[in-house]
Amino acid sequence: MKELVEVIAKSLVDLPDEVVVTETKNEKSIVVELRVAQSDMGKVIGKQGRIAKAIRSVVKAAASKEDKKVIVEIMQ
């Protein structure tokens, strides 16, 4: 999941070197934290959160094979 979020985020932002993705795994869930440069926050979130919602949907679909719940958090 970490690699998937990283590839998507790097393709969206102007400063791909500042994209940092961390992953924490529990028994039934995976928490993926995405950090980008302050100037790129709008590009990752999108108007009314549409891009963030799309990222979460893609990751959720990919995680359905592993039968785990994935939470994507976009951090400042």
Side-chain angles (χ1 to χ4, degrees):
M1 298 303 135
K2 177 182 175 180
E3 294 83 17
L4 177 62
V5 173
E6 192 170 355
V7 168
I8 293 170
K10 284 186 176 184
S11 66
L12 291 171
V13 299
D14 289 334
L15 303 170
D17 295 334
E18 296 201 22
V19 172
V20 178
V21 180
T22 56
E23 185 176 74
T24 307
K25 294 183 180 182
N26 297 330
E27 287 182 25
K28 293 192 175 192
S29 66
I30 300 170
V31 178
V32 180
E33 291 183 356
L34 171 62
R35 296 181 191 272
V36 296
Q38 185 66 33
S39 60
D40 288 329
M41 282 298 280
K43 293 180 180 174
V44 173
I45 295 172
K47 290 185 180 177
Q48 298 178 350
R50 288 184 182 151
I51 294 175
K53 186 183 279 187
I55 292 171
R56 290 183 177 113
S57 296
V58 169
V59 172
K60 185 178 178 182
S64 66
K65 290 184 179 181
E66 296 180 20
D67 197 30
K68 290 194 174 189
K69 181 179 179 183
V70 177
I71 301 166
V72 178
E73 295 181 354
I74 300 172
M75 313 294 280
Q76 285 189 344

